[in-house]
Amino acid sequence: LEEAAFQLQQIFRIDISIAFNILGIESMRAGRYRTAYTCFKLAADRGYSKAQFNVGLCYEHGRGTEKDLEKAAFYYYHAASSCHPMAQYRYARCLLCHRPESEWDSLQKAVTFLEQAAMAGITEAQAYLGVFYMRGLQPKEKRGLKYLLLAAKNGDSQSRYHVGVCYETGLGVQQDLAEAMRHYRQSAAAGNRNAQQRVQA
């Protein structure tokens, strides 16, 4: 691996961490998961955020290594701290799904990372935040609608459906059945079954 990374580095004159990450991606595509994990880990341990994210994925899905959600969260956190948007989303999900209910700090940290990922254009984070703000203990409908609209504009049909619900029921916006129907139709056209049912109803 060292020799292959060195040759790749010479060809492209790139940092060794980037070379290991590229080798990891190519190995993953070829189905050599253990090799991919090893390459990602070598680059991650050198502080390369894209590789840290990839190591997190390996641990989360058990690709090339044992499945370990704590280790996945550890690597996602390091990548997220280096402003890797998808790692910010994944780390926030880890915090929200696996935190003790009493840990308010974890909740605040998760929301901060989700908002950073959402503003960086990560559709999954936008959709998650939209629902999170709509259904929270203290719902913030206008803020939730803002994120649902962002996700809908990025092509998320479920978020488009939720925007329709907001307009139909007046959640965070003035009730407007015509606007609700417009969103339902767009979501239904993208294959969303809930929206298809609403259009028929």
Side-chain angles (χ1 to χ4, degrees):
L1 281 179
E2 291 279 354
E3 178 62 25
F6 178 75
Q7 289 175 2
L8 195 59
Q9 183 185 26
Q10 293 306 306
I11 293 168
F12 296 109
R13 299 193 189 288
I14 54 177
D15 182 270
I16 193 76
S17 300
I18 297 172
F20 276 129
N21 195 57
I22 291 169
L23 285 171
I25 292 168
E26 292 304 316
S27 297
M28 190 63 75
R29 286 184 183 146
R32 296 189 306 272
Y33 301 133
R34 185 75 193 160
T35 302
Y37 165 77
T38 301
C39 291
F40 292 145
K41 185 87 166 50
L42 286 166
D45 290 345
R46 293 170 178 263
Y48 188 50
S49 64
K50 289 182 180 179
Q52 290 167 338
F53 172 71
N54 288 331
V55 171
L57 286 175
C58 288
Y59 278 122
E60 184 177 359
H61 300 291
R63 289 272 174 100
T65 187
E66 296 273 324
K67 190 172 183 176
D68 188 326
L69 295 180
E70 281 188 30
K71 287 183 181 176
F74 174 82
Y75 281 96
Y76 286 150
Y77 171 74
H78 283 289
S81 297
S82 296
C83 299
H84 188 292
M86 187 54 87
Q88 291 170 333
Y89 166 68
R90 293 270 187 178
Y91 180 64
R93 289 287 308 267
C94 287
L95 286 177
L96 291 172
C97 295
H98 306 294
R99 73 181 171 86
E101 289 299 316
S102 60
E103 286 193 16
W104 177 251
D105 288 346
S106 291
L107 176 64
Q108 291 302 104
K109 188 188 289 187
V111 170
T112 299
F113 275 124
L114 277 173
E115 288 184 341
Q116 290 171 356
M119 296 319 292
I122 302 298
T123 305
E124 295 93 330
Q126 295 164 346
Y128 196 96
L129 269 176
V131 173
F132 176 82
Y133 281 126
M134 287 290 180
R135 295 183 178 168
L137 292 173
Q138 298 173 320
K140 298 176 181 172
E141 287 95 357
K142 287 186 179 180
R143 190 176 287 184
L145 180 60
K146 168 189 153 183
Y147 286 111
L148 288 174
L149 281 167
L150 284 172
K153 286 176 185 171
N154 283 331
D156 185 59
S157 67
Q158 185 65 21
S159 292
R160 179 74 65 190
Y161 164 75
H162 286 307
V163 171
V165 171
C166 289
Y167 275 102
E168 183 179 3
T169 59
L171 268 176
V173 69
Q174 187 172 346
Q175 188 178 34
D176 185 333
L177 297 182
E179 189 67 6
M181 184 58 80
R182 185 176 76 80
H183 288 286
Y184 285 145
R185 284 195 178 116
Q186 287 180 9
S187 180
N192 187 285
R193 289 186 180 181
N194 291 329
Q196 289 166 352
Q197 291 171 359
R198 293 303 300 145
V199 169
Q200 290 172 357

